[in-house]
Amino acid sequence: MDHSIESMTLQDKVKKSEVLVREMIEHLELGFLPKLKNLQKISRVGNSQSQLEEIADLTVRNHVVQVLESEQFTESLFEKLSVLTDALEKDMNDVLYGK
């Protein structure tokens, strides 16, 4: 995070959460899922002789690396969002229940 979550206002936390959710959706739709589909596509073996192609091990490895790197980015976004939503939950409980 850019600055400490504790120093953020409730409104700032909501806005930051919204930004992170949008970033996560965009990353999943435009980054992670297409890479996963490409990996699935190149690793599939067709049933007919015309569909069979030689795929180099290096090609498969490169696609796997791309998927894993994308997954690591997904995980980092998720962790940031999780910390922020936990802080939001605490703040909302304080507002609603005075705790």
Side-chain angles (χ1 to χ4, degrees):
M1 299 271 149
D2 297 339
H3 54 284
S4 175
I5 291 176
E6 293 82 28
S7 65
M8 295 172 72
T9 65
L10 181 59
Q11 184 177 13
D12 290 339
K13 290 175 188 174
V14 170
K15 286 179 183 179
K16 183 66 176 177
S17 295
E18 187 178 12
V19 168
L20 286 173
V21 166
R22 276 195 236 120
E23 187 177 355
M24 176 75 85
I25 291 168
E26 183 178 316
H27 166 68
L28 290 173
E29 289 177 346
L30 302 177
F32 183 74
L33 290 177
K35 289 176 183 170
L36 196 58
K37 286 180 183 179
N38 284 338
L39 175 61
Q40 182 182 29
K41 184 176 161 183
I42 67 147
S43 62
R44 227 182 252 157
V45 177
N47 294 328
S48 70
Q49 188 63 29
S50 64
Q51 291 176 321
L52 294 176
E53 293 181 15
E54 286 292 320
I55 299 172
D57 286 344
L58 186 58
T59 301
V60 174
R61 273 188 246 139
N62 287 339
H63 279 77
V64 169
V65 166
Q66 289 176 357
V67 169
L68 290 174
E69 287 172 350
S70 187
E71 193 278 331
Q72 288 172 346
F73 182 73
T74 303
E75 183 66 28
S76 72
L77 281 177
F78 175 78
E79 287 174 12
K80 290 177 186 176
L81 190 56
S82 181
V83 168
L84 202 49
T85 55
D86 287 346
L88 270 171
E89 181 180 14
K90 181 189 174 303
D91 287 356
M92 291 302 295
N93 282 331
D94 290 348
V95 169
L96 295 172
Y97 305 112
K99 295 182 179 180

